[in-house]
Amino acid sequence: MNGQPKLSCHNVWKLYGPGAEDYLHKNPEATLEQITAADLIPAVRGANIDIHDGEIFVIMGLSGSGKSTLVRCLSRLIEPTAGELHFNGQDLRRVSEREMIDIRRHKLGMVFQHFALLPHLTVLQNVAFPLSIQGQSKTRAEARAREVIRLVGLEGRETYFPRQLSGGQQQRVGIARSLAVEPELWFLDEPFSALDPLIRREMQDEFLRLQALLKKTIVFITHDFDEAIRLADRIAIMKDGAVIQVATPEELVLNPASHYVEEFTRHIPRAKVMSVGSVMTRCEVGQSDSAPGDGGPGNGDQVATIPENARIADVAHAVVSAAAPLTVVDETGNTTGTISREAVISVLIGPGPAP
Amino acid sequence: MALPRTALLWSGLFILTWLLSAWSKSLAEAMDLSWMVKYPTAWVFPLKDYISGAMRWLVEDATFGLFTFTDATRALAWLIEKPYELVRALLSSGFERGFGRDAVQIVPPLSWLAVLAGVMALGHYARDWILAAIVGTSFAYLATFGQWDSAMITLASVVIAVPIGVAGGLFLGIQAYRHPLFDRLLKPLLDLMQTIPIFAYLVPILFMFGFGPVSALVATVIYAMPPMVRVTTMALKAVDPEIKDFGIMSGCTRHQITWRILVPSARGSLMLGVNQVIMLSLNMVIIASMIGAGGLGFDVLSSLRRLDIGGGFEAGIAIVILAIAIDRLSQAFAERDGNTAPVSTEISVLRRHPRSFIVLAVLILSMSIGQFAPMFQTYPEAQTLTTGAFWSETVKFLNISYFDQFEAVKIFFLKGFMLPIKRFFLGIPWPWMIGIVVLLGWKFGDWKLALINGLMALFIVTTGMWSKAMITVYLCGASVLIASVIGIPLGVLAAVNKRAGAIIGVVIDTLQTLPSFVYLIPVVMLFRIGDFTAMIAIVLYSLTPAVRYTAHGVASVSSELIEAGVVSGCTRWQILTRIRLPLALPDILLGINQTIMLALSMLVITALVGTRDLGQEVYIALTKADTGRGIVAGLAIAFIAIIADRIISASARNARIRFGLEAAHD
Ligand SMILES: Nc1ncnc2c1ncn2[C@@H]1O[C@H](COP(=O)(O)OP(=O)(O)OP(=O)(O)O)[C@@H](O)[C@H]1O
Ligand SMILES: [Mg+2]
């Protein structure tokens, strides 16, 4: 997470209404109440976000909290009222129309909530469309399009029209289309919200599979917290146009920045977000030989160690059914601590009554 | 409580107006106020002379430095004329060398069999064998009944006018979509263009382009383009914004967004616009036969003038058949929208384009055999059937045996219905009438509407059009009254009874495809010329919206309200009169509004049968090529239309608001 961010936005505002720019110029620190009192609609208020190479950055918030507006500002689909945008260090708000078109053709991809497929084109033509806009020859564009269509598992349907496909299949086309140009930065605006829950789950798996393969930098919008914690490396929570916390899913649950975030995360099963590392009993690194109690050769237990960054939910069964606390190791295999059955159970059923 | 009071107010005003109208003559004489009844000629503002002068200057003296205005119109005429001549040669006259009588045909036109095969192939391509059969039968009818040549001339005009109208409409529509300011400027202009009767634009066009097919084509394009402009702007606005965003995100340029994203996505709606352009073009090409378009319209017109009933009727039916064939074909194309499975490129060219090959084969065969056996080239004249004599005989028989009955009906209506209305409108002193128009605008709309109404009415008075305008109002009012009395019950019937609805739907659809000209023919035959004939033709032409809007309004009353009525024990009759009709009132009003618009546009055409209204004024201007007179009379008609439209739309809106409130109280 060090080095230059892929995309960073600094103090980005978007107000709707007449005279928004003037107003913001005069009141750069305007509060929500002041803005509404001035008959303006605050869609995004002073957002600061850095998105790093290769991460899945999720933007979360209730309906109307300004997620789409923020992402549309980041991609310059709409012009922010104020603020700075940098993409690979380049000032996005200063680039010319021509350069912006070039950046969009080669470096950005976007997937839309309602798929936004062109109704008059077949699957193949839809996927090849951005390539043909770049000016690639038809044969090359179609060859590449077939490749990505295979990647999303739609081969055999190249000649179908969008209306002949199910919602999930249509969104696969949308994903294939945005991947065809091999974008460096990939925006997805609630890509799975229009799908029913079972298909949504399937598409999330598909998405994770693709990301493991392609390692894109991703900005993903959702209003579904379950989806966010399944996919996110980091999550930004928005409320009334402001970004109120940016953190890993675990941090959000453990250290909510405000009461609002706490409310937001309350119903989330903690075992799904908390890692083993956050509840284990720490010990000196590298003491693997003299781990207390368990792990001895006489025990014959195969699951002797568990990784530190695993989610509790994934290892709960192993820990609870083990006779003694298990050893925890980090990525390099060094022992960092132990995890006991009590620790896991208290995460699973929640903390007991306060003493 | 408020309702009866206003009702009382309006009926009081009406009675007062009636009395005033009846006694105005004597009153004016007694009080020496005759200027109130008859607008003095000396006060007329000579607007029409100014317009004629400006037009003359434009044609004779205006110059843009390098070239004159006349050069510009000539260049435009050339651009339209060349493709028209090509298509006309292909379809009807063949390619000739030399001029006039010495002309020798070097290449004959497409054989009738080839054209027949062509349109059938189009029908099959656009939908299926049934459509191919319908279109084929229609064209075969044209051939067997000896209407082929005229029909092909009409078709040639449509073939040229439609692409120009569509391309122009698309262009203007896209500009309006891109530049909101242009959109706002264009809208009132389009409104005006659609309310000014067609004949009014024929006059200046005739002046600029002279008598002939070019004038007719220019008029056709101007007439048919406005709906395409509107449809384009609306269709582009209706494209899903996400799709547009996708276009931007893929790095499309503005040009690519328009042509590769927006226009193809909106194709379905755009095709409906194309269908409208086609139907309007056909309608106008028929009317434009007056300024030299030739073809079927000319046949009807000259038969009407000769009182050749059979000939007129046959040409009229040919128009109807051509219109239905073209309409079905273009609708099928509109509905087709890319449903074809893409064909693999591996199979042979012949298998991929079977229809084109069959048509080509028919073309080559029929034209080469046609060299020896002309019946393959042109449909043999000896084989044509004619029903002309039959129609003439029938009408003659009807006229002889039932003369008294027809005459009685006519006189009954004239004496008992039309003349009183006419006297009423002509008797009202013009300042009083203007006052009423302003009052209506103020009551139903706001002060702005009142002001606009007043200004438009003043225009009509000061340009010296008042009494003709009142005849227009009377003729139109009487026709609309009858159309409503017939149309509204039919609409109700169509809404409450499924079987009747289906039948009425078909009849109404067919009535709507017919060019306005056609309505005159049967009526003139039975009732000869005059106001009564005009009224019947207008009623027939303008009936459609009264039926359609009523049916829609009655059918779309929410079923919850009906159930509420049933539960509270209403009889079917009570449900109709207490629930459905009142709630359908806004729709019915809009239907009547449309009926008025159609009636006004038909009025000008009925000038052919000798009415004495503004329509006749336009028609006279046309025959004398008097631009100013035509434009002023045309504007007067447009203003009457606009006044009626604004008042009725405003009252429909009021009614909707009122019912919204009532429903809220329940
Ligand atoms: N073009 C616009 N004009 C005026 N207000 C707008 C416009 N677009 C968005 N808004 C307002 O900005 C706020 C944020 O909208 P936005 O679409 O970004 O919300 P969202 O978080 O994406 O919601 P959802 O989950 O429903 O998609 C909303 O209050 C909305 O009403
Ligand atoms: Mg959104």
Side-chain angles (χ1 to χ4, degrees):
Chain A
M1 280 219 189
N2 28 20
Q4 189 190 49
K6 189 98 205 158
L7 179 74
S8 80
C9 76
H10 181 66
N11 201 20
V12 165
W13 291 75
K14 179 71 196 180
L15 306 183
Y16 285 105
E21 209 146 315
D22 277 351
Y23 176 82
L24 198 61
H25 200 72
K26 283 187 208 126
N27 313 285
E29 305 274 292
T31 62
L32 185 62
E33 291 74 28
Q34 288 167 338
I35 296 171
T36 12
D39 273 338
L40 297 173
I41 301 170
V44 172
R45 297 184 293 133
N48 290 304
I49 286 178
D50 285 338
I51 293 154
H52 298 280
D53 206 1
E55 78 170 328
I56 302 183
F57 189 91
V58 170
I59 301 179
M60 274 250 11
L62 298 178
S63 189
S65 55
K67 309 177 295 288
S68 300
T69 311
L70 177 58
V71 159
R72 277 171 166 67
C73 285
L74 297 183
S75 57
R76 272 195 56 194
L77 271 174
I78 51 183
E79 206 54 49
T81 314
E84 290 165 34
L85 287 175
H86 289 272
F87 176 63
N88 287 338
Q90 187 181 16
D91 186 344
L92 263 197
R93 297 200 64 192
R94 296 254 149 67
V95 298
S96 68
E97 169 100 20
R98 193 67 241 175
E99 282 171 295
M100 196 64 220
I101 285 182
D102 237 46
I103 291 176
R104 288 194 176 122
R105 283 187 182 177
H106 299 283
K107 301 193 170 154
L108 303 183
M110 190 155 186
V111 179
F112 296 87
Q113 181 172 1
H114 301 286
F115 324 135
L117 301 181
L118 295 174
H120 59 289
L121 299 183
T122 60
V123 168
L124 185 68
Q125 290 165 330
N126 257 298
V127 176
F129 184 87
L131 300 170
S132 75
I133 288 295
Q134 290 179 359
Q136 288 192 13
S137 74
K138 197 174 160 202
T139 35
R140 245 186 82 195
E142 290 196 348
R144 168 72 186 148
R146 281 179 203 282
E147 226 171 89
V148 268
I149 289 173
R150 188 155 354 100
L151 194 67
V152 299
L154 276 181
E155 64 265 72
R157 313 214 178 228
E158 286 87 349
T159 58
Y160 284 44
F161 284 94
R163 61 176 175 282
Q164 297 167 318
L165 299 176
S166 73
Q169 289 169 329
Q170 290 191 33
Q171 194 55 297
R172 281 169 199 261
V173 178
I175 288 174
R177 183 177 66 180
S178 65
L179 287 177
V181 296
E182 302 185 61
E184 288 178 23
L185 181 57
W186 199 20
F187 295 107
L188 298 99
D189 185 353
E190 307 203 22
F192 309 139
S193 317
L195 308 176
D196 49 51
L198 275 179
I199 313 237
R200 192 183 305 172
R201 183 120 192 134
E202 185 189 317
M203 293 294 289
Q204 287 165 0
D205 291 338
E206 179 79 19
F207 173 78
L208 285 172
R209 180 181 72 81
L210 284 173
Q211 171 63 358
L213 221 63
L214 305 170
K215 307 230 176 345
K216 302 271 173 223
T217 308
I218 291 169
V219 179
F220 190 109
I221 299 185
T222 179
H223 59 236
D224 175 358
F225 208 89
D226 282 326
E227 186 166 83
I229 55 175
R230 277 200 82 197
L231 307 178
D233 290 320
R234 286 193 304 149
I235 298 179
I237 304 250
M238 288 190 75
K239 177 178 187 269
D240 297 331
V243 176
I244 52 180
Q245 187 173 10
V246 181
T248 62
E250 190 169 4
E251 277 167 5
L252 279 184
V253 174
L254 293 182
N255 306 310
S258 68
H259 189 62
Y260 182 76
V261 179
E262 200 180 332
E263 279 297 306
F264 219 92
T265 56
R266 186 186 294 284
H267 69 284
I268 293 301
R270 310 188 138 234
K272 279 195 184 169
V273 287
M274 288 172 66
S275 63
V276 172
S278 62
V279 290
M280 68 182 182
T281 324
R282 236 164 235 295
C283 61
E284 288 294 306
V285 175
Q287 283 178 322
S288 70
D289 303 19
S290 56
D294 131 84
N299 221 336
D301 199 327
Q302 293 301 314
V303 206
T305 62
I306 47 177
E308 182 183 324
N309 57 6
R311 299 269 146 91
I312 300 285
D314 299 331
V315 297
H317 185 74
V319 177
V320 172
S321 58
L326 296 184
T327 311
V328 179
V329 295
D330 63 10
E331 290 107 86
T332 52
N334 290 325
T335 301
T336 52
T338 60
I339 184 162
S340 66
R341 188 193 293 185
E342 291 70 31
V344 168
I345 288 175
S346 91
V347 171
L348 285 177
I349 63 173
Chain B
M1 269 330 276
L3 210 64
R5 248 204 13 232
T6 35
L8 213 65
L9 182 77
W10 289 122
S11 42
L13 195 65
F14 180 74
I15 292 169
L16 196 63
T17 310
W18 188 278
L19 290 176
L20 202 65
S21 155
W23 302 107
S24 65
K25 266 249 170 62
S26 7
L27 215 64
E29 270 163 25
M31 295 171 67
D32 201 19
L33 286 173
S34 65
W35 58 269
M36 274 202 155
V37 182
K38 191 174 177 311
Y39 189 77
T41 335
W43 297 2
V44 171
F45 176 68
L47 182 64
K48 53 186 170 194
D49 298 339
Y50 293 145
I51 294 178
S52 295
M55 200 66 199
R56 210 170 302 121
W57 171 81
L58 208 56
V59 174
E60 284 166 12
D61 302 322
T63 152
F64 306 105
L66 292 178
F67 54 91
T68 62
F69 181 78
T70 320
D71 290 338
T73 55
R74 285 216 184 106
L76 188 62
W78 187 85
L79 272 181
I80 298 174
E81 195 160 16
K82 288 300 150 191
Y84 172 71
E85 279 174 356
L86 178 74
V87 175
R88 187 178 155 143
L90 267 179
L91 285 174
S92 133
S93 57
F95 294 87
E96 298 174 337
R97 196 167 42 203
F99 288 99
R101 288 240 217 93
D102 310 327
V104 207
Q105 200 178 56
I106 36 179
V107 182
L110 296 179
S111 67
W112 69 280
L113 283 173
V115 174
L116 194 65
V119 291
M120 287 183 72
L122 279 179
H124 185 247
Y125 174 72
R127 187 171 290 153
D128 52 13
W129 278 112
I130 300 177
L131 183 64
I134 292 175
V135 178
T137 318
S138 307
F139 274 69
Y141 171 91
L142 296 176
T144 41
F145 283 81
Q147 304 292 331
W148 188 262
D149 284 339
S150 296
M152 288 305 114
I153 292 177
T154 299
L155 191 62
S157 304
V158 173
V159 165
I160 292 299
V162 168
I164 302 179
V166 168
L170 203 58
F171 174 78
L172 288 178
I174 289 173
Q175 296 312 314
Y177 169 77
R178 280 193 186 159
H179 312 289
L181 186 68
F182 181 65
D183 190 26
R184 243 175 299 152
L185 290 177
L186 197 61
K187 248 196 198 123
L189 199 68
L190 292 179
D191 282 343
L192 199 66
M193 271 170 81
Q194 283 189 319
T195 37
I196 291 186
I198 3 179
F199 278 13
Y201 357 128
L202 291 186
V203 191
I205 291 171
L206 199 58
F207 210 69
M208 286 190 275
F209 296 97
F211 189 88
V214 172
S215 278
L217 281 172
V218 172
T220 305
V221 169
I222 294 180
Y223 176 66
M225 200 156 60
M228 188 70 200
V229 180
R230 274 180 221 272
V231 167
T232 304
T233 314
M234 255 165 45
L236 294 188
K237 277 186 187 154
V239 170
D240 183 356
E242 259 194 1
I243 288 192
K244 199 180 164 198
D245 282 350
F246 157 69
I248 300 174
M249 282 308 290
S250 347
C252 290
T253 57
R254 254 168 57 123
H255 187 80
Q256 286 173 323
I257 296 229
T258 304
W259 293 106
R260 300 200 51 180
I261 303 268
L262 295 178
V263 170
S265 306
R267 196 173 53 178
S269 325
L270 291 178
M271 280 309 286
L272 292 180
V274 173
N275 176 259
Q276 278 204 42
V277 172
I278 293 176
M279 295 323 288
L280 288 179
S281 297
L282 188 62
N283 187 9
M284 187 62 188
V285 162
I286 304 290
I287 293 167
S289 62
M290 288 187 187
I291 55 172
L296 292 171
F298 179 77
D299 293 353
V300 174
L301 192 64
S302 61
S303 312
L304 278 183
R305 286 197 181 125
R306 275 182 283 127
L307 280 180
D308 167 10
I309 292 160
F313 206 85
E314 278 198 317
I317 291 187
I319 292 174
V320 173
I321 286 183
L322 187 66
I324 291 178
I326 293 180
D327 179 53
R328 294 295 126 86
L329 206 55
S330 75
Q331 267 183 19
F333 268 100
E335 285 157 16
R336 225 175 74 92
D337 89 323
N339 258 327
T340 45
V343 188
S344 111
T345 42
E346 268 117 62
I347 55 174
S348 70
V349 194
L350 202 128
R351 294 263 302 282
R352 254 186 290 153
H353 302 286
R355 286 173 287 248
S356 313
F357 272 88
I358 294 174
V359 173
L360 201 66
V362 172
L363 175 71
I364 295 171
L365 275 178
S366 64
M367 291 192 63
S368 40
I369 301 175
Q371 300 289 320
F372 314 104
M375 62 172 297
F376 287 92
Q377 170 64 41
T378 31
Y379 188 85
E381 211 158 306
Q383 301 299 319
T384 53
L385 306 175
T386 171
T387 50
F390 166 74
W391 293 115
S392 301
E393 286 308 313
T394 312
V395 170
K396 202 186 279 169
F397 168 76
L398 285 176
N399 276 340
I400 291 173
S401 343
Y402 297 99
F403 179 83
D404 293 338
Q405 283 87 337
F406 283 128
E407 206 59 13
V409 170
K410 184 167 148 183
I411 291 191
F412 172 76
F413 267 94
L414 273 175
K415 283 246 168 81
F417 179 66
M418 300 180 71
L419 274 180
I421 299 182
K422 185 173 177 179
R423 248 183 250 127
F424 168 64
F425 277 111
L426 280 175
I428 304 174
W430 58 267
W432 181 263
M433 190 69 186
I434 293 182
I436 289 184
V437 167
V438 171
L439 185 69
L440 283 172
W442 183 62
K443 267 284 175 198
F444 287 103
D446 49 10
W447 64 269
K448 263 188 272 174
L449 186 61
L451 183 70
I452 293 172
N453 280 353
L455 286 178
M456 287 197 279
L458 265 180
F459 172 92
I460 297 175
V461 176
T462 50
T463 49
M465 294 283 161
W466 189 257
S467 61
K468 297 218 161 176
M470 282 302 109
I471 297 184
T472 305
V473 170
Y474 126 74
L475 202 50
C476 176
S479 311
V480 169
L481 202 63
I482 294 192
S484 312
V485 167
I486 300 173
I488 294 173
L490 277 182
V492 172
L493 185 64
V496 296
N497 183 323
K498 268 223 178 80
R499 184 140 6 113
I503 297 171
I504 292 173
V506 170
V507 173
I508 289 290
D509 277 346
T510 316
L511 279 181
Q512 209 166 35
T513 27
L514 304 189
S516 44
F517 226 71
V518 172
Y519 290 89
L520 280 179
I521 304 166
V523 205
V524 172
M525 289 172 192
L526 298 179
F527 298 105
R528 287 169 310 279
I529 60 175
D531 280 7
F532 182 66
T533 306
M535 187 181 78
I536 296 187
I538 296 172
V539 168
L540 287 177
Y541 181 67
S542 59
L543 192 60
T544 320
V547 179
R548 194 164 273 174
Y549 279 71
T550 305
H552 172 77
V554 172
S556 57
V557 170
S558 94
S559 55
E560 258 175 51
L561 281 173
I562 310 253
E563 277 162 16
V566 174
V567 169
S568 47
C570 290
T571 61
R572 288 175 59 138
W573 177 250
Q574 281 171 325
I575 286 180
L576 183 65
T577 53
R578 300 281 177 81
I579 298 178
R580 282 186 190 266
L581 277 183
L583 286 173
L585 187 65
D587 281 302
I588 296 178
L589 280 176
L590 290 179
I592 293 178
N593 191 13
Q594 283 304 306
T595 297
I596 294 178
M597 297 301 126
L598 287 185
L600 280 170
S601 70
M602 184 67 188
L603 213 60
V604 186
I605 290 165
T606 58
L608 285 175
V609 295
T611 54
R612 301 233 169 282
D613 56 1
L614 289 170
Q616 187 217 27
E617 191 73 9
V618 177
Y619 186 56
I620 292 173
L622 185 63
T623 50
K624 294 190 176 164
D626 183 345
T627 324
R629 193 168 174 181
I631 289 182
V632 169
L635 279 177
I637 297 181
F639 287 165
I640 294 176
I642 292 172
I643 292 175
D645 173 70
R646 296 295 134 87
I647 291 177
I648 294 180
S649 307
S651 59
R653 201 161 44 239
N654 288 349
R656 255 200 312 273
I657 292 170
R658 206 167 62 225
F659 290 136
L661 289 180
E662 275 185 11
H665 281 304
D666 278 348

